[in-house]
Structure formats: C-alpha cells, structure tokens
Amino acid sequence: MSNTDAFDLNDWFRRWDIQSVPDLDDKVRECEFFFDFLSVETDRNRFRWLVSAFLNAAYSFFESSALMAHFRYTDPHSEDPCIDHEGLAVLRRHVKVSQRTSNPNYVKTAGLTPITTQLYEFRKKNTHHFSLSVMATGPSLPEDFHFGSMRDAGTPVIPLCRETLELIKAIYAEING
C-alpha cells in the first residue's frame, strides 16, 4: 500500500463530528416530539402534518431497529456482523422482519399486530397515495380527530398514536435494557 492510500486515523478523528451522531434513542425521542405537538394541535391541517411526521418517525423506528438488530454486534475474530437474536425476537412479536439474501443491508418491516398493521397502513396510504384524511367528529379537539372522511367510519387518531408511542418505548426499553 502506498502512502497516498494509507488511512490516517488521526485525520479521521479530527474531521469526525461526533455530536452529529444521534443517540440510540433518537427515533424514540423523535416520535415523542411529534406526539407532544399533535396531542395539543387543534388546527386540522397542522394536526394532519404532525400526524404524518409521527407516522413516518414511528415507521422509521421499526425499520432502523430491525436494521440495527441485524448489524448490532461484530464477531471479534472475523469482524463480520452478528445478529442480535434477542432484539430481533422482541421486534418480531410486533412486526414482520425480512432481510434480502442478495443485499443483506436491505432489511424491511411490515405490520404484524393490530396496532402495527394500522400504523403501517395509514403511513403507506399517506406516503404513497394521498395526504391523510382527518375529520373532526366532535368539539373536543384534537381528541375528536379521526382518520378518514366518512362519518361514523373513522379511526381515532390520538389513541392510535398514543398506543404506538407506548409500544415503541416498551420495545426500545426491552431491546436496550
């Protein structure tokens, strides 16, 4: 190896901004951030946008947790990634997790339980189809905001988001002790 190809560890440490690396609980805190705002927002449009951001943050929590479970540890001898089987088992109680054999860096999740299935379905519709439809079903906003556009057929938004956030916090705590 020539000197021009040599890796300069001191230069790497000098250039690396360690403050830019998010903490492990960053996705949990991101979900909390959006939930805190949506849980008091009474303007329908602003509420929809906050819910959209919450759904994406929650989805991202599951996706990034699944990816991390596949690459969490390193074999000290081979330096190959080792799967966190316990963490993966925790996730698999709530979401389906698959990894492509042709591309091991591609890890995908899908809803499995009623709460995660609803989360993934609302997020998919919002991301890939149309903006969220949210209707006010009563005077007590934001609690009376429901997903949907047909009266008597909506899904209450706040309880779904609250339950999702509680699930995310419980999963994170179980995986990370």
Side-chain angles (χ1 to χ4, degrees), residues 67 70-71 81 83 92 97-108:
L67 184 64
H70 278 87
F71 297 96
I83 293 176
R92 284 190 167 140
V97 180
S98 58
Q99 181 182 34
R100 273 198 190 145
T101 52
S102 62
N103 180 3
N105 292 323
Y106 183 87
V107 176
K108 193 77 183 133

Side-chain angles (χ1 to χ4, degrees), residues 111-123:
L112 180 63
T113 63
I115 187 75
T116 59
T117 299
Q118 275 191 311
L119 165 72
Y120 277 65
E121 195 56 37
F122 283 120
R123 187 239 168 224

Side-chain angles (χ1 to χ4, degrees), residues 8 32 53 57 63-64 87 89 95 104 124 127-128 137-138 143 145 167:
D8 184 346
E32 290 173 326
E63 290 277 303
S64 60
V95 292
K124 181 174 105 181
T127 303
H128 300 291
T137 61
E143 287 290 332
F145 278 132
L167 176 64

Side-chain angles (χ1 to χ4, degrees), residues 34 38 46-58 122-123 126-127 131-132 134 147 157 161:
F34 288 118
L38 74 86
R46 291 171 55 95
F47 180 81
R48 284 184 319 102
W49 300 329
L50 290 165
V51 171
S52 175
F54 175 84
L55 295 174
N56 281 310
F122 283 120
R123 187 239 168 224
N126 180 53
T127 303
S131 295
L132 289 174
V134 172
F147 288 114
V157 177
C161 293

